[in-house]
Amino acid sequence: MIATALDHFTAPPSSKLLGWHLLDARPKQGWVRIGFDGKAEFCNPAGFIQGGMLSAMLDDTMGPAVFVMTEGRLYTATITMTVNFLAPAKPGPIFGEADVTQLGKTVAFVAARLMAADGSLLAIATSSALLVETARAISRERLAVAGA
């Protein structure tokens, strides 16, 4: 896999809870593929993963797309996020893909989708996000910069 700015980034506890792991990236295109663990603990009474957990996965896919595209210089603070749930998500591996639609000077627009292991589409989302200099947004402890 190609090297990205995420290689030197310590994932926050919320991402670890979701089982977040980078699978692939195309930084120049602003595209990422992220894997998540759809845990049974995330399920609602019907046995499907609760929509808020899926929304968190989508959010945790779109931000990294901008981060890798800007080589770690810019971090995103979500302004709006619209989610459409297309199919119930069963426990198991879940995959997210995101594309940066437009990267402006202060705002990014991003689209994402979540898929089950069999490739079926679970949810889609779009987001607008404020762009913030990473050094201002994230504490230095979270940035495990090589050689620092």
Side-chain angles (χ1 to χ4, degrees), residues 21-142:
H21 52 284
L22 180 66
L23 296 172
D24 198 2
R26 292 184 216 126
K28 290 181 181 178
Q29 289 83 26
W31 177 87
V32 294
R33 181 171 169 85
I34 308 290
F36 297 98
D37 299 330
K39 301 174 186 175
E41 295 85 13
F42 297 166
C43 289
N44 61 25
F48 300 111
I49 297 176
Q50 198 269 344
M53 302 306 286
L54 296 173
S55 296
M57 291 175 190
L58 286 160
D59 197 32
D60 244 8
T61 303
M62 290 186 282
V66 173
F67 192 77
V68 301
M69 185 178 202
T70 64
E71 299 176 347
R73 291 187 312 275
L74 297 174
Y75 181 80
T76 56
T78 304
I79 299 169
T80 64
M81 186 170 80
T82 301
V83 179
N84 292 293
F85 301 101
L86 306 174
K90 298 175 185 175
I94 295 176
F95 304 96
E97 293 181 356
D99 293 286
V100 177
T101 307
Q102 184 172 353
L103 185 65
K105 291 183 180 181
T106 59
V107 176
F109 296 92
V110 188
R113 61 209 146 274
L114 284 182
M115 290 131 327
D118 66 3
S120 61
L121 196 56
L122 303 171
I124 57 173
T126 57
S127 175
S128 60
L130 181 67
L131 298 172
V132 182
E133 291 179 30
T134 299
R136 291 184 54 182
I138 302 174
S139 65
R140 298 214 182 268
E141 297 85 48
R142 295 209 90 69

